[in-house]
Amino acid sequence: MTLRDCCRDIREHEPLAGYTSFRTGGPARWLAQPADEAELLALLDFAEQNSLPHTVIGRGSNLLAADAGYDGLVIRVAYGSAAAEGPLLRADAGIRLGHLFELALEQGFTGLEFAAGIPGSLGGAIFMNAGAYGGEMKDVVHSVRWREPGGRIHEMPLSDLQFGYRTSRFSTEGGTVLSVLFSLPRGDTAQSRLRQAELMQRRRDRQPLDLPSAGSTFKRPPGAFAGPLIEACGLRGARIGGAAVSHKHAGFVVNDEGACSADIYRLIQEVRRTVEAETGITLEPEVRLLGDFCD
């Protein structure tokens, strides 16, 4: 069996800039886009059996890919649907969170208003326990169906997922999310849509959505917020090459003028060094790195 036997959409030396929200990143040796779970599982089996370096990504909304690219297989999971299973809702890992919100509403489920504006896929949201405006994935998940390294597939209950602030069992121990079972209320869908619209307007008013970024660049430090700390250190608007700390929200590093990944990485490190030197607080990035970076 070859790699192309596993998946119909295999691309060689494919620039990752087209698959990340930063719009940066060099070529992947191979980029595979499985059409369904069967292709995803075949790709993972092939990579493991052939000791092929590989990584699974979703919509690339929390990813900084190195300018040199990735010398291995990038599996981009972007398929997905959602359907009721009795009183619960099952959704594929590759579904966009905004689309998940819409499909849930169509079936009478509410409770995903906080997630609708997060620009990523469900698998990534589970990986990091994504959240916004007082809600997190841990608040709505019933269980997760996943593949462990080696190939076994399990349905893991919420109690075993080890959700924490921007972390989960998957981010610490590995494994691939396949689908998620949600426990959601059936409520007033019109009110749910109004709440989602309100939260989206708050995003537009407060966040630099007009520029490529990975959303909030840093995790919230205990007892503080990253944006005000960065601003207090005089870093609003700071830049390296084409990367800048957003004037609109200092918690966002943005691709302002044709940045490369090295510009963004160096600016993130400079912000961390400055904030730690001036406040004693170490900011931890939310952004996941793919490939090799040098300080």
Side-chain angles (χ1 to χ4, degrees):
M1 177 179 286
T2 69
L3 191 56
R4 293 189 182 279
D5 293 323
C6 302
C7 177
R8 286 163 284 180
D9 189 350
I10 300 283
R11 307 179 188 193
E12 294 189 60
H13 307 294
E14 181 76 2
L16 291 170
Y19 303 92
T20 71
S21 58
F22 268 128
R23 299 293 179 258
T24 64
R29 177 64 181 84
W30 294 279
L31 177 82
Q33 299 190 92
D36 52 31
E37 185 178 293
E39 287 194 352
L40 170 59
L41 294 174
L43 287 164
L44 291 168
D45 288 344
F46 179 89
E48 291 180 355
Q49 291 164 9
N50 291 277
S51 300
L52 176 63
H54 62 285
T55 189
V56 177
I57 69 171
R59 304 285 168 164
S61 62
N62 201 44
L63 185 69
L64 182 62
D67 296 313
Y70 180 73
D71 189 19
L73 171 65
V74 174
I75 303 171
R76 181 176 183 261
V77 181
Y79 63 84
S81 62
E85 286 189 8
L88 306 176
L89 181 74
R90 171 81 65 180
D92 294 317
I95 194 170
R96 287 187 302 105
L97 293 176
H99 189 204
L100 173 60
F101 169 76
E102 295 292 339
L103 291 181
L105 278 193
E106 288 176 8
Q107 298 173 70
F109 293 102
T110 63
L112 289 172
E113 299 81 13
F114 76 92
I118 298 175
S121 61
L122 177 56
I126 296 298
F127 183 88
M128 66 176 295
N129 185 29
Y133 302 113
E136 294 179 299
M137 283 292 117
K138 69 176 181 62
D139 301 328
V140 291
V141 168
H142 178 271
S143 61
V144 171
R145 185 168 169 271
W146 68 293
R147 178 193 183 276
E148 70 176 25
R152 290 184 61 197
I153 295 174
H154 308 268
E155 185 87 25
M156 185 183 296
L158 174 63
S159 58
D160 291 339
L161 293 173
Q162 299 175 14
F163 279 133
Y165 175 66
R166 301 299 175 263
T167 188
S168 73
R169 182 170 188 158
F170 305 106
S171 62
T172 58
E173 299 181 14
T176 303
V177 176
L178 300 175
S179 67
V180 180
L181 197 58
F182 288 96
S183 179
L184 299 167
R186 291 184 178 273
D188 187 330
T189 57
Q191 285 299 315
S192 176
R193 191 173 294 283
L194 286 173
R195 175 59 175 162
Q196 182 265 346
E198 174 192 331
L199 295 180
M200 283 301 300
Q201 188 60 52
R202 288 175 64 181
R203 284 182 182 275
R204 286 189 287 267
D205 291 343
R206 301 178 186 184
Q207 299 178 7
L209 302 184
D210 58 327
L211 292 170
S213 77
S216 296
T217 306
F218 302 97
K219 297 178 182 179
R220 185 177 67 243
F225 291 93
L229 283 173
I230 294 167
E231 185 172 359
C233 292
L235 293 169
R236 182 186 291 269
R239 63 186 310 121
I240 291 178
V245 175
S246 170
H247 282 283
K248 192 170 188 178
H249 190 312
F252 286 63
V253 170
V254 297
N255 181 348
D256 188 36
E257 294 181 357
C260 63
S261 292
D263 293 340
I264 296 167
Y265 178 77
R266 288 167 55 210
L267 183 56
I268 289 172
Q269 299 309 312
E270 181 59 28
V271 168
R272 296 183 71 205
R273 283 190 288 266
T274 301
V275 170
E276 184 169 18
E278 296 194 14
T279 70
I281 296 174
T282 301
L283 294 179
E284 295 297 332
E286 283 194 16
V287 179
R288 175 186 168 201
L289 301 178
L290 177 62
D292 296 326
F293 290 84
C294 298
D295 288 326

